[in-house]
């Protein structure tokens, strides 16, 4: 369905621990807030077999994975999807994950990014340098599968664990390096993204504020010798669309009743570090309460019509957060929603959207039925995939499946 | 096809390094001897979607994987296959793998097994103890997915890396612990298998010698408080079957021409540590040459009809090894092959076979066409899967998908 509707990709978040800031781990478990969480990389093979163009963005951690095993994993996935795999690079932030992987304390934030840089250097060597393009000839006449002189042991020292390394276990895949996604909002995160990322998930509820991030990222890209077109900016958005604005609003209001308040408070605690358990459900959060909540209320009030008179109790805040996430919203008929999206493109300078869903089935069927015809009419809906690989479909610059010039994965950086 | 033909499972070997004893790594690469090697665990999802009963035996290393990530991996695979996954536990023996994972030298053999024991202890705690059976209720009325009081943090200290740990990230799967396979031939390996393995791949070319291993393993099982029926003994076998003995022999002779001598010498070097590059292709290995080769020739001559007059040049030895592997052989019509298999069951006491193939398509189609009717006639072919899980189908004792009493994964060992 997503494939037929020309979606670019599916994105899968991942965590390696459990949310335990709010009320211990009870609320996360009872509400199934990212726990249990299966390893989705093991399901991509089946999803790839059922689709032809849809890409798969997978989250993997540079703090808890091994670079040799990770290079093999993504090379395998890139082969079996024919180039339709992306890696959302994270450094992992949950204390419970650190404990599960044998650390007393998490690695400190900026040091995690330093480790991530070196991790990527090793992964690039394995994926881009260890096998030359014409290493595999699979020639029955000479009975030669791989030409040994075209496969090179990589040597790396400096990484605190990995001192030396053989070639990647897997021959070159369509993209070699998976399409690289990142969502760093901190200074270290942005610097990292400007070096490595090819698409960036942007935070923010107000287009003009998000534009500041986009502009600063473009400046960083130029500093790094990368073209602006080598990075795609993606805004999160929550959409409820129906035939009329009223029907869409009613659908949204209806969804609120299904919100799991405890689970949402648990997720919010994990993201923000703010424990809401001290407040009653009826606590009025307008103009008081935790700063993280204040800023959400302010943007909801400023950007969503009809919310000015609303009483922002803790209950209502959690309900809205549960349904729409901490994302900009577009609720209304196709024109209303398309206008909001257009405003994000125009004012924030984003290239596309990561659409979160409220129900499945439900959200995506609604999008295809109601919104797609309007986007098509406006000429902004992708009608044809630009290529077979995730990189071609996201960058749409006709430059093929491999990393672009100036990207550190390019082997010109390691001659 | 394998599913329809009532095969119990498919087994996937794996290595994390490259064979480099014979002539460096050139021969392994040119002959594609287990390099490149994709990560097959990433393909099980697609294979499971295309089958209903076939099980998947995957190789994973206790030396180079992380127990927390591995528990998540197998729990995920057990969910998406509905209990059809097995773990062939290896400790990894290639120096090149050690180097790729950041070690100067391999961990010493017996120490690897000590590490493996502790690795499994952690994995059992995660898979068997951290979630109670009735933890997940997914109850819409109470909006409770998991009952927090039924999920337990596991604590482990002693393992050189892992000091402490949260619960598994994945809720209980049909088997919880994957069906455990092992192929340890050393003393440490056998002790390990007698503790953990539920099926064992047996070495040996002579049934009577293999029986000694089976008997010694059964004694070890009893010592460990495990029933003899809680372990299945599996012999490797290479089969060429056709309408007549002559046709099968001719098919085998025809296959020899496709042998890659360099690649086989490379694989043999990796297994045995013996470098054959010092010998010419015409070197006569009968009664001289490396001991590892001698013992193969002796068993081939003793057990395979029509080989008594053969000149065992290095070329011929490598050709035969390339085609049949270091396995017992059964070459002939259905009666001949069934008789040889029956002899292994009677004299060695094995429960089943791991059949290696020469070509695909080819070998398995031949088996189903020619051999299956004869095995069915003798009443020794499985006609119906015993259950939905790998454990039920291998143990066939009506005791369900979970580990058997007396197995260290059973939580009675960790009260």
């Amino acid at each position: 369905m997503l494939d037929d509707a020309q979606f670019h990709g599916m994105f899968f978040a991942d965590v390696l621990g459990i949310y335990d800031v709010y009320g211990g781990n009870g609320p996360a478990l009872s509400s199934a807030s990212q726990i249990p969480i299966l390893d989705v990389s093991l399901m991509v093979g089946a999803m790839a077999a059922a689709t032809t163009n849809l890409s798969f963005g997978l989250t993997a951690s540079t703090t808890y994975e091994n670079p040799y095993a990770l290079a093999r994993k993504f090379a395998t996935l890139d082969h079996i999807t024919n180039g339709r795999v992306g890696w959302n690079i994270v450094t992992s932030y949950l204390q419970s994950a650190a404990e599960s992987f044998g650390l007393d304390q998490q690695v400190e934030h900026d040091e995690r990014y330093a480790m991530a840089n070196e991790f990527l250097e090793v992964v690039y060597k394995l994926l881009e340098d260890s096998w030359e393009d014409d290493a595999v000839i699979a020639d029955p006449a000479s009975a030669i599968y791989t030409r040994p002189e075209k496969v090179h042991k990589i040597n790396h020292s400096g990484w605190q664990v990995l001192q030396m390394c053989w070639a990647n276990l897997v021959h070159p895949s369509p993209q070699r390096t998976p399409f690289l996604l990142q969502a760093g909002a901190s200074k270290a995160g942005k610097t990292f993204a400007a070096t490595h990322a090819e698409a960036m998930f942007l935070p923010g509820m107000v287009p003009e504020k998000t534009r500041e991030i986009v502009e600063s990222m473009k400046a960083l890209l130029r500093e790094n010798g990368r073209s602006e077109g080598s990075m795609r900016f993606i805004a999160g958005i929550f959409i409820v669309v129906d035939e009329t604005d009223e029907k869409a609003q009613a659908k949204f209001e209806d969804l609120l009743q299904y919100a799991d308040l405890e689970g949402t408070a648990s997720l919010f605690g994990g993201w923000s570090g703010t424990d809401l358990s001290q407040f009653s459900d009826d606590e009025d959060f307008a103009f008081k309460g935790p700063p993280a909540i204040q800023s959400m209320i302010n943007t909801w009030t400023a950007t969503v019509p009809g919310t000015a008179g609303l009483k922002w109790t803790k209950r209502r805040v959690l309900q809205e957060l549960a349904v729409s996430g901490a994302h900009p919203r577009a609720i209304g008929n196709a024109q209303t929603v398309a206008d909001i999206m257009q405003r994000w493109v125009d004012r924030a300078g984003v290239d596309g959207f990561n659409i979160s869903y409220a129900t499945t089935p439900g959200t995506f069927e609604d999008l295809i039925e109601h919104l797609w015809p309007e986007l098509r009419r406006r000429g902004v809906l992708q009608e044809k995939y630009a290529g077979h690989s995730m990189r071609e479909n996201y960058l749409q610059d006709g430059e093929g499946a491999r990393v672009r010039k100036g990207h550190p994965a390019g082997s010109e950086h390691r001659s």
Side-chain angles (χ1 to χ4, degrees), chain A:
Chain A
M1 182 185 77
L2 299 183
D3 209 37
D4 291 339
Q6 308 280 321
F7 276 79
H8 284 83
M10 273 179 93
F11 169 66
F12 300 94
D14 196 32
V15 288
L16 296 169
I18 188 164
Y19 295 101
D20 52 10
V21 167
Y22 174 87
N25 49 58
L29 284 163
S30 63
S31 65
S33 298
Q34 298 194 281
I35 177 87
I37 185 162
L38 277 66
D39 181 345
V40 77
S41 69
L42 298 164
M43 301 176 215
V44 168
M47 292 190 284
T51 53
T52 54
N53 287 99
L54 194 68
S55 291
F56 306 96
L58 301 176
T59 300
S61 169
T62 53
T63 304
Y64 302 122
E65 299 221 21
N66 172 285
Y68 195 62
L70 181 129
R72 184 190 193 197
K73 173 164 94 170
F74 276 105
T76 299
L77 290 173
D78 207 47
H79 275 293
I80 65 179
T81 62
N82 193 26
R84 294 186 281 141
V85 70
W87 172 19
N88 176 41
I89 309 166
V90 298
T91 64
S92 302
Y93 64 97
L94 292 176
Q95 173 64 20
S96 53
E99 291 173 6
S100 293
F101 281 87
L103 306 175
D104 287 336
Q105 284 295 319
Q106 284 196 69
V107 181
E108 186 271 322
H109 178 276
D110 286 8
E111 192 190 333
R112 289 206 304 274
Y113 276 105
M115 284 170 63
N117 266 310
E118 195 157 350
F119 190 104
L120 281 165
E121 180 67 16
V122 174
V123 169
Y124 295 153
K125 286 179 182 175
L126 288 166
L127 292 177
E128 300 280 343
D129 302 348
S130 66
W131 294 65
E132 293 184 40
D133 284 343
D134 54 355
V136 172
I137 55 172
D139 175 40
S142 63
I144 289 177
Y145 191 87
T146 300
R147 293 195 284 178
E149 71 277 16
K150 300 280 186 180
V151 180
H152 310 290
K153 203 165 180 163
I154 70 142
N155 287 294
H156 182 86
S157 63
W159 174 256
Q160 54 175 322
V161 176
L162 188 72
Q163 296 302 322
M164 198 259 244
C165 212
W166 219 89
N168 191 19
L169 289 166
V170 178
H171 56 299
S173 63
Q175 299 187 113
R176 284 187 177 255
T177 296
F179 188 66
L180 298 174
L181 306 153
Q182 223 255 338
S186 66
K187 187 168 182 301
K190 281 184 193 166
T191 306
F192 182 86
T195 307
H196 302 285
E198 300 173 278
M200 203 175 160
F201 295 114
L202 299 173
M205 307 280 277
V206 182
E208 290 74 12
K209 294 216 163 163
T210 297
R211 172 158 224 118
E212 291 170 17
I213 306 174
V214 171
E215 294 302 331
S216 68
M217 287 305 303
K218 286 184 175 172
L220 285 172
L221 284 175
R222 286 189 299 268
E223 279 177 36
N224 287 344
R226 293 178 59 193
S227 75
E228 292 184 6
S230 69
M231 169 87 91
R232 290 291 171 221
F233 297 99
I234 302 173
I237 195 164
F238 171 75
I239 299 175
V240 179
V241 64
D242 210 320
E243 286 169 11
T244 65
D245 285 351
E246 293 69 31
K247 279 192 177 180
Q249 275 291 349
K251 198 184 275 178
F252 176 69
E253 291 289 333
D254 180 63
L255 286 170
L256 295 180
Q257 68 181 291
Y258 302 108
D260 187 310
L261 303 188
E262 293 280 293
T264 307
S266 166
L267 282 173
F268 181 78
W271 298 332
S272 68
T274 304
D275 180 0
L276 298 180
S277 59
Q278 55 185 309
F279 301 101
S280 77
D281 282 356
D282 293 318
E283 182 83 22
D284 187 351
F285 276 169
F287 313 111
K288 55 183 189 288
I293 295 283
Q294 279 306 301
S295 73
M296 278 196 307
I297 294 175
N298 290 342
T299 52
W300 286 339
T301 311
T303 59
V304 183
T307 52
L310 208 60
K311 190 177 176 200
W312 291 104
T313 59
K314 174 181 163 188
R315 183 184 299 107
R316 179 76 192 196
V317 166
L318 288 176
Q319 282 178 326
E320 301 228 358
L321 190 60
V323 172
S324 71
H327 301 297
R329 297 166 177 180
I331 300 168
N333 68 19
Q335 289 73 27
T336 304
V337 170
D339 286 347
I340 295 171
M341 294 173 87
Q342 193 63 50
R343 204 177 310 141
W344 273 90
V345 171
D346 294 340
R347 298 192 191 169
V350 301
D351 301 298
F353 298 92
N354 189 21
I355 304 173
S356 49
Y357 66 93
T359 66
T360 178
T363 301
F364 296 115
E365 286 81 354
D366 284 350
L367 289 172
I368 295 165
E369 182 186 349
H370 298 294
L371 182 60
W372 261 218
E374 177 64 19
L375 295 182
R376 187 170 288 124
R377 202 181 58 73
R378 297 184 183 199
V380 296
L381 188 72
Q382 159 170 279
E383 295 290 348
K384 192 169 165 300
Y385 286 99
H388 67 84
S389 68
M390 185 166 186
R391 185 165 285 113
E392 289 164 282
N393 286 322
Y394 277 68
L395 297 183
Q396 302 187 328
D397 56 5
E399 296 286 330
R402 304 273 298 275
V403 288
R404 300 291 172 259
K405 199 167 174 306
H407 191 282
S411 47
E412 75 270 16
H413 294 273
R414 290 181 303 284
S415 56

